[in-house]
Short mmCIF file of all heavy atoms in Angstrom, two decimals:
data_model
loop_
_atom_site.label_atom_id
_atom_site.label_comp_id
_atom_site.label_asym_id
_atom_site.label_seq_id
_atom_site.Cartn_x
_atom_site.Cartn_y
_atom_site.Cartn_z
N LYS U 5 41.90 26.45 4.66
CA LYS U 5 41.02 27.57 4.24
C LYS U 5 41.85 28.80 3.89
O LYS U 5 41.59 29.51 2.93
CB LYS U 5 40.02 27.91 5.34
CG LYS U 5 38.93 26.85 5.50
CD LYS U 5 37.93 27.26 6.56
CE LYS U 5 36.79 26.25 6.68
NZ LYS U 5 35.83 26.62 7.73
N LYS U 6 42.90 29.08 4.73
CA LYS U 6 43.75 30.24 4.46
C LYS U 6 44.49 30.05 3.13
O LYS U 6 44.65 30.98 2.34
CB LYS U 6 44.76 30.43 5.59
CG LYS U 6 44.14 30.94 6.89
CD LYS U 6 45.21 31.10 7.95
CE LYS U 6 44.61 31.64 9.27
NZ LYS U 6 45.64 31.78 10.31
N PHE U 7 44.95 28.80 2.90
CA PHE U 7 45.66 28.53 1.65
C PHE U 7 44.75 28.72 0.44
O PHE U 7 45.13 29.33 -0.57
CB PHE U 7 46.19 27.10 1.68
CG PHE U 7 46.86 26.69 0.38
CD1 PHE U 7 48.14 27.09 0.07
CD2 PHE U 7 46.17 25.90 -0.53
CE1 PHE U 7 48.73 26.73 -1.10
CE2 PHE U 7 46.77 25.53 -1.71
CZ PHE U 7 48.05 25.94 -2.00
N ALA U 8 43.52 28.23 0.56
CA ALA U 8 42.55 28.37 -0.54
C ALA U 8 42.23 29.83 -0.81
O ALA U 8 42.11 30.27 -1.96
CB ALA U 8 41.28 27.60 -0.22
N ALA U 9 42.06 30.61 0.25
CA ALA U 9 41.76 32.04 0.09
C ALA U 9 42.91 32.76 -0.59
O ALA U 9 42.71 33.62 -1.45
CB ALA U 9 41.47 32.66 1.46
N ALA U 10 44.12 32.41 -0.18
CA ALA U 10 45.29 33.06 -0.77
C ALA U 10 45.41 32.71 -2.26
O ALA U 10 45.73 33.55 -3.10
CB ALA U 10 46.56 32.63 -0.03
N LEU U 11 45.14 31.43 -2.56
CA LEU U 11 45.21 31.00 -3.96
C LEU U 11 44.16 31.71 -4.81
O LEU U 11 44.42 32.14 -5.94
CB LEU U 11 44.99 29.49 -4.03
CG LEU U 11 45.09 28.86 -5.44
CD1 LEU U 11 46.49 29.10 -6.02
CD2 LEU U 11 44.80 27.38 -5.37
N LEU U 12 42.95 31.88 -4.30
CA LEU U 12 41.89 32.58 -5.02
C LEU U 12 42.26 34.03 -5.26
O LEU U 12 42.06 34.59 -6.34
CB LEU U 12 40.57 32.49 -4.23
CG LEU U 12 39.37 33.22 -4.83
CD1 LEU U 12 39.05 32.67 -6.23
CD2 LEU U 12 38.16 33.10 -3.93
N ALA U 13 42.83 34.66 -4.25
CA ALA U 13 43.23 36.07 -4.39
C ALA U 13 44.29 36.23 -5.47
O ALA U 13 44.26 37.16 -6.27
CB ALA U 13 43.75 36.61 -3.04
N LEU U 14 45.28 35.29 -5.45
CA LEU U 14 46.32 35.35 -6.46
C LEU U 14 45.75 35.18 -7.87
O LEU U 14 46.13 35.88 -8.81
CB LEU U 14 47.36 34.26 -6.19
CG LEU U 14 48.52 34.13 -7.21
CD1 LEU U 14 49.32 35.44 -7.26
CD2 LEU U 14 49.42 32.97 -6.84
N THR U 15 44.80 34.24 -8.02
CA THR U 15 44.17 33.99 -9.32
C THR U 15 43.44 35.22 -9.83
O THR U 15 43.55 35.61 -10.99
CB THR U 15 43.19 32.82 -9.22
OG1 THR U 15 43.89 31.66 -8.78
CG2 THR U 15 42.55 32.52 -10.58
N LEU U 16 42.68 35.88 -8.94
CA LEU U 16 41.95 37.08 -9.34
C LEU U 16 42.90 38.19 -9.72
O LEU U 16 42.68 38.94 -10.68
CB LEU U 16 41.04 37.54 -8.19
CG LEU U 16 39.83 36.65 -7.89
CD1 LEU U 16 39.13 37.11 -6.61
CD2 LEU U 16 38.86 36.68 -9.06
N THR U 17 44.00 38.33 -9.01
CA THR U 17 44.98 39.38 -9.30
C THR U 17 45.58 39.17 -10.68
O THR U 17 45.70 40.11 -11.48
CB THR U 17 46.11 39.37 -8.24
OG1 THR U 17 45.54 39.61 -6.98
CG2 THR U 17 47.14 40.46 -8.56
N LEU U 18 45.98 37.92 -10.96
CA LEU U 18 46.55 37.62 -12.27
C LEU U 18 45.54 37.86 -13.39
O LEU U 18 45.88 38.35 -14.46
CB LEU U 18 47.04 36.18 -12.30
CG LEU U 18 48.27 35.88 -11.42
CD1 LEU U 18 48.56 34.38 -11.43
CD2 LEU U 18 49.48 36.64 -11.91
N SER U 19 44.27 37.49 -13.15
CA SER U 19 43.22 37.68 -14.16
C SER U 19 43.01 39.14 -14.47
O SER U 19 42.88 39.54 -15.63
CB SER U 19 41.90 37.05 -13.69
OG SER U 19 42.07 35.67 -13.50
N LEU U 20 42.96 39.99 -13.43
CA LEU U 20 42.76 41.42 -13.64
C LEU U 20 43.94 42.02 -14.38
O LEU U 20 43.78 42.89 -15.24
CB LEU U 20 42.56 42.12 -12.28
CG LEU U 20 41.23 41.82 -11.58
CD1 LEU U 20 41.24 42.38 -10.16
CD2 LEU U 20 40.07 42.40 -12.37
N ALA U 21 45.15 41.54 -14.03
CA ALA U 21 46.33 42.06 -14.71
C ALA U 21 46.29 41.72 -16.19
O ALA U 21 46.63 42.53 -17.05
CB ALA U 21 47.60 41.48 -14.07
N ALA U 22 45.87 40.50 -16.49
CA ALA U 22 45.79 40.08 -17.89
C ALA U 22 44.76 40.89 -18.64
O ALA U 22 44.96 41.27 -19.79
CB ALA U 22 45.45 38.59 -17.97
N CYS U 23 43.61 41.16 -18.01
CA CYS U 23 42.55 41.94 -18.68
C CYS U 23 42.97 43.37 -18.94
O CYS U 23 42.54 43.99 -19.90
CB CYS U 23 41.28 41.93 -17.84
SG CYS U 23 40.48 40.32 -17.77
N SER U 24 43.82 43.92 -18.10
CA SER U 24 44.21 45.32 -18.25
C SER U 24 45.33 45.50 -19.25
O SER U 24 45.64 46.62 -19.65
CB SER U 24 44.67 45.89 -16.89
OG SER U 24 45.85 45.24 -16.44
N ASN U 25 45.96 44.40 -19.69
CA ASN U 25 47.06 44.49 -20.63
C ASN U 25 46.53 44.51 -22.06
O ASN U 25 46.27 43.48 -22.63
CB ASN U 25 47.99 43.28 -20.43
CG ASN U 25 49.20 43.34 -21.36
OD1 ASN U 25 49.41 44.35 -22.00
ND2 ASN U 25 49.96 42.26 -21.40
N SER U 26 46.35 45.71 -22.62
CA SER U 26 45.76 45.83 -23.95
C SER U 26 46.81 45.87 -25.04
O SER U 26 46.49 45.84 -26.21
CB SER U 26 44.89 47.08 -24.04
OG SER U 26 45.68 48.23 -23.83
N GLY U 27 48.08 45.94 -24.68
CA GLY U 27 49.12 46.09 -25.69
C GLY U 27 49.18 44.92 -26.64
O GLY U 27 49.31 45.09 -27.85
N ASP U 28 49.08 43.69 -26.14
CA ASP U 28 49.21 42.53 -26.99
C ASP U 28 47.91 42.19 -27.70
O ASP U 28 47.91 41.51 -28.71
CB ASP U 28 49.66 41.31 -26.17
CG ASP U 28 51.08 41.48 -25.65
OD1 ASP U 28 51.85 42.22 -26.29
OD2 ASP U 28 51.40 40.88 -24.61
N SER U 29 46.78 42.60 -27.18
CA SER U 29 45.50 42.22 -27.78
C SER U 29 45.11 43.11 -28.93
O SER U 29 44.22 42.80 -29.70
CB SER U 29 44.38 42.28 -26.72
OG SER U 29 44.17 43.62 -26.34
N GLY U 30 45.78 44.28 -29.04
CA GLY U 30 45.44 45.20 -30.12
C GLY U 30 44.28 46.08 -29.78
O GLY U 30 43.78 46.80 -30.62
N VAL U 31 43.80 46.11 -28.53
CA VAL U 31 42.69 46.96 -28.14
C VAL U 31 43.24 48.15 -27.37
O VAL U 31 43.83 47.99 -26.30
CB VAL U 31 41.70 46.21 -27.23
CG1 VAL U 31 40.53 47.09 -26.89
CG2 VAL U 31 41.23 44.95 -27.91
N PRO U 32 43.12 49.38 -27.86
CA PRO U 32 43.66 50.53 -27.16
C PRO U 32 42.87 50.83 -25.90
O PRO U 32 41.70 50.50 -25.78
CB PRO U 32 43.50 51.67 -28.20
CG PRO U 32 42.38 51.23 -29.07
CD PRO U 32 42.46 49.73 -29.12
N ASP U 33 43.54 51.44 -24.93
CA ASP U 33 42.89 51.75 -23.66
C ASP U 33 41.73 52.72 -23.83
O ASP U 33 40.83 52.77 -23.00
CB ASP U 33 43.92 52.37 -22.68
CG ASP U 33 44.97 51.33 -22.27
OD1 ASP U 33 44.65 50.13 -22.31
OD2 ASP U 33 46.10 51.74 -21.93
N ASP U 34 41.74 53.53 -24.92
CA ASP U 34 40.67 54.51 -25.08
C ASP U 34 39.45 53.93 -25.78
O ASP U 34 38.53 54.65 -26.15
CB ASP U 34 41.20 55.73 -25.86
CG ASP U 34 41.66 55.36 -27.26
OD1 ASP U 34 41.57 54.18 -27.64
OD2 ASP U 34 42.12 56.28 -27.97
N GLY U 35 39.43 52.61 -26.01
CA GLY U 35 38.25 51.99 -26.61
C GLY U 35 38.13 52.22 -28.09
O GLY U 35 37.06 52.15 -28.66
N GLY U 36 39.28 52.43 -28.78
CA GLY U 36 39.25 52.67 -30.21
C GLY U 36 38.88 51.42 -30.99
O GLY U 36 38.51 50.40 -30.43
N ASP U 37 39.07 51.49 -32.33
CA ASP U 37 38.56 50.41 -33.15
C ASP U 37 39.66 49.48 -33.65
O ASP U 37 39.51 48.84 -34.68
CB ASP U 37 37.78 50.97 -34.35
CG ASP U 37 38.66 51.84 -35.23
OD1 ASP U 37 39.84 52.05 -34.91
OD2 ASP U 37 38.14 52.31 -36.25
N ALA U 38 40.77 49.39 -32.94
CA ALA U 38 41.80 48.44 -33.34
C ALA U 38 41.27 47.02 -33.18
O ALA U 38 40.38 46.76 -32.38
CB ALA U 38 43.06 48.64 -32.49
N PRO U 39 41.82 46.08 -33.92
CA PRO U 39 41.30 44.71 -33.87
C PRO U 39 41.48 44.05 -32.52
O PRO U 39 42.41 44.34 -31.79
CB PRO U 39 42.12 44.00 -34.95
CG PRO U 39 43.34 44.84 -35.15
CD PRO U 39 42.91 46.23 -34.88
N VAL U 40 40.58 43.15 -32.21
CA VAL U 40 40.60 42.40 -30.98
C VAL U 40 41.09 41.00 -31.29
O VAL U 40 40.71 40.41 -32.29
CB VAL U 40 39.18 42.32 -30.36
CG1 VAL U 40 39.24 41.59 -29.03
CG2 VAL U 40 38.60 43.71 -30.18
N SER U 41 41.94 40.42 -30.45
CA SER U 41 42.42 39.08 -30.70
C SER U 41 41.35 38.07 -30.32
O SER U 41 40.34 38.40 -29.72
CB SER U 41 43.69 38.80 -29.90
OG SER U 41 43.37 38.61 -28.53
N SER U 42 41.59 36.80 -30.65
CA SER U 42 40.63 35.75 -30.36
C SER U 42 40.73 35.27 -28.93
O SER U 42 40.01 34.37 -28.53
CB SER U 42 40.85 34.57 -31.32
OG SER U 42 42.15 34.05 -31.14
N GLY U 43 41.60 35.84 -28.14
CA GLY U 43 41.79 35.43 -26.76
C GLY U 43 43.16 34.84 -26.57
O GLY U 43 43.79 34.35 -27.51
N ASP U 44 43.69 34.91 -25.33
CA ASP U 44 45.02 34.39 -25.02
C ASP U 44 46.09 35.02 -25.90
O ASP U 44 47.12 34.39 -26.20
CB ASP U 44 45.06 32.86 -25.18
CG ASP U 44 44.07 32.16 -24.25
OD1 ASP U 44 43.88 32.64 -23.12
OD2 ASP U 44 43.49 31.15 -24.68
N ASP U 45 45.85 36.27 -26.32
CA ASP U 45 46.81 37.01 -27.14
C ASP U 45 47.13 36.30 -28.46
O ASP U 45 48.20 36.49 -29.02
CB ASP U 45 48.10 37.26 -26.36
CG ASP U 45 47.87 38.16 -25.16
OD1 ASP U 45 47.05 39.07 -25.27
OD2 ASP U 45 48.51 37.92 -24.12
N LYS U 46 46.23 35.49 -28.94
CA LYS U 46 46.43 34.79 -30.19
C LYS U 46 45.63 35.49 -31.29
O LYS U 46 44.54 36.00 -31.05
CB LYS U 46 45.97 33.33 -30.07
CG LYS U 46 46.79 32.49 -29.10
CD LYS U 46 46.26 31.07 -29.06
CE LYS U 46 47.06 30.22 -28.08
NZ LYS U 46 46.52 28.83 -28.00
N PRO U 47 46.16 35.51 -32.51
CA PRO U 47 45.39 36.11 -33.61
C PRO U 47 44.17 35.25 -33.96
O PRO U 47 44.14 34.06 -33.68
CB PRO U 47 46.39 36.14 -34.77
CG PRO U 47 47.37 35.06 -34.45
CD PRO U 47 47.47 35.03 -32.95
N PHE U 48 43.19 35.88 -34.55
CA PHE U 48 42.04 35.14 -35.04
C PHE U 48 42.48 34.14 -36.10
O PHE U 48 43.38 34.40 -36.89
CB PHE U 48 41.01 36.09 -35.68
CG PHE U 48 40.34 37.01 -34.71
CD1 PHE U 48 40.60 38.38 -34.74
CD2 PHE U 48 39.42 36.53 -33.79
CE1 PHE U 48 39.95 39.23 -33.87
CE2 PHE U 48 38.78 37.38 -32.91
CZ PHE U 48 39.05 38.73 -32.95
N VAL U 49 41.82 33.01 -36.13
CA VAL U 49 42.03 32.04 -37.20
C VAL U 49 40.81 32.07 -38.10
O VAL U 49 39.68 31.80 -37.66
CB VAL U 49 42.24 30.61 -36.65
CG1 VAL U 49 42.42 29.63 -37.81
CG2 VAL U 49 43.45 30.57 -35.72
N ILE U 50 41.02 32.45 -39.35
CA ILE U 50 39.94 32.55 -40.33
C ILE U 50 40.09 31.44 -41.35
O ILE U 50 41.11 31.34 -42.03
CB ILE U 50 39.96 33.92 -41.04
CG1 ILE U 50 39.84 35.06 -40.01
CG2 ILE U 50 38.85 34.02 -42.08
CD1 ILE U 50 40.00 36.44 -40.61
#
Side-chain angles (χ1 to χ4, degrees):
K5 288 182 177 179
K6 288 180 179 179
F7 176 78
L11 183 61
L12 178 60
L14 177 61
T15 302
L16 290 172
T17 300
L18 291 174
S19 298
L20 289 171
C23 291
S24 65
N25 182 10
S26 62
D28 293 334
S29 68
V31 183
D33 292 334
D34 62 1
D37 61 358
V40 183
S41 74
S42 61
D44 300 324
D45 296 324
K46 295 180 181 178
F48 292 111
V49 179
I50 302 174

